[in-house]
Amino acid sequence: MKCIGLLGGMSWESTVSYYQALNRGVRARLGGLHSARVLINSVDFAEIERLQHAGDWPATARLLAAAARDLQAGGADFLLIGTNTMHKVAPEIEAAIDIPLLHIADATARRLQAGGIQRVGLLGTLFTMEQDFYKGRLQDQFGLTVLVPGEAQRERVHRIIYDELCLGEIRASSRVEYLAIIAELAEAGAQAVILGCTEIALLVGDAEAAVPLYDTTAIHAEAAVSLALA
């Protein structure tokens, strides 16, 4: 079994979900008392968040590249970045290490393609919904059409992530808001919606939504288990 390197803490609420998913995935495949071989480097999210909102992406890249090198030095065979947003600096992180990087958008796109999805809604931070590092990859490399909410809805999605979900706060009122936004994306032609922030699955699930939801945390972890056991 290969050792999974998880660059986490962004936020640690979703890193908990990753750890559970990785271990449950290995146990489901191998049975008994088997669990995943995982190295976690959990960074201080307050520092990352400050740099994100200041637009200092080069500084976040340097910080996370150093953390990734530590995982490699510790014996990780490949790397997961346990956050959608910080895949913005995935090229810099990838350049800093010699082990493979399993990209969250690639794993998600392959799952969408397997499900016959061509038009997909995207929820996430403002960075993920508005910038090209994520949407562009889905469109250019996988031929998907990506829809995002309107400006006011994007602001609400973003604020709920940072002000509630990253703090472990799950509010019924925010669930109602998210489900309404998902319904609007479905009305605009989305066949499914990507939960493109690793905390969003803490708030909404498939049973409540107007269209299928693709939980990037679960998808990323499942792809990592497959690679670890390959």
Side-chain angles (χ1 to χ4, degrees):
M1 186 191 310
K2 296 183 179 71
C3 181
I4 302 166
L6 176 58
L7 193 49
M10 299 170 284
S11 69
W12 67 260
E13 294 286 345
S14 66
T15 302
V16 171
S17 299
Y18 265 100
Y19 187 66
Q20 291 177 328
L22 292 169
N23 283 294
R24 287 170 178 164
V26 169
R27 184 176 62 190
R29 300 279 190 97
L30 300 182
L33 295 176
H34 284 288
S35 56
R37 293 183 60 221
V38 187
L39 283 177
I40 302 175
N41 194 338
S42 188
V43 302
D44 181 1
F45 189 43
E47 185 175 3
I48 297 293
E49 184 273 339
R50 178 181 60 80
L51 294 169
Q52 286 176 338
H53 286 94
D56 194 350
W57 299 104
T60 65
R62 289 192 295 271
L63 192 158
L64 295 181
R69 285 193 294 269
D70 288 343
L71 286 169
Q72 176 177 286
D77 292 304
F78 64 94
L79 179 71
L80 303 184
I81 306 171
T83 157
N84 287 272
T85 297
M86 293 318 300
H87 279 74
K88 179 175 173 66
V89 296
E92 292 90 333
I93 294 171
E94 199 166 18
I97 56 178
D98 299 317
I99 57 176
L101 170 67
L102 184 56
H103 200 291
I104 196 168
D106 295 355
T108 301
R110 293 187 185 104
R111 182 67 63 84
L112 288 162
Q113 289 179 327
I117 303 298
Q118 295 178 322
R119 290 174 60 84
V120 66
L122 174 63
L123 299 181
T125 66
L126 284 175
F127 314 114
T128 300
M129 290 186 290
E130 295 180 353
Q131 298 182 22
D132 198 48
F133 70 92
Y134 199 95
K135 290 188 302 179
R137 192 177 184 100
L138 295 176
Q139 291 167 165
D140 297 342
Q141 297 193 23
F142 297 93
L144 299 172
T145 299
V146 181
L147 310 177
V148 297
E151 183 176 358
Q153 291 92 337
R154 293 198 301 272
E155 289 283 350
R156 282 301 295 148
V157 168
H158 182 88
R159 288 269 53 92
I160 288 168
I161 290 168
Y162 280 92
D163 295 347
E164 299 173 28
L165 301 182
C166 287
L167 298 173
E169 296 183 16
I170 309 300
R171 300 181 187 175
S173 59
S174 297
R175 179 178 295 112
V176 170
E177 285 190 71
Y178 265 58
L179 291 173
I181 292 168
I182 289 167
E184 290 178 11
L185 288 168
E187 289 173 9
Q191 300 166 278
V193 171
I194 298 170
L195 304 184
C197 173
T198 50
E199 284 81 19
I200 297 178
L202 301 172
L203 184 65
V204 294
D206 261 319
E208 309 157 300
V211 290
L213 305 180
Y214 282 70
D215 175 3
T216 53
T217 303
I219 292 168
H220 203 199
E222 186 175 334
V225 168
S226 294
L227 182 55
L229 298 180

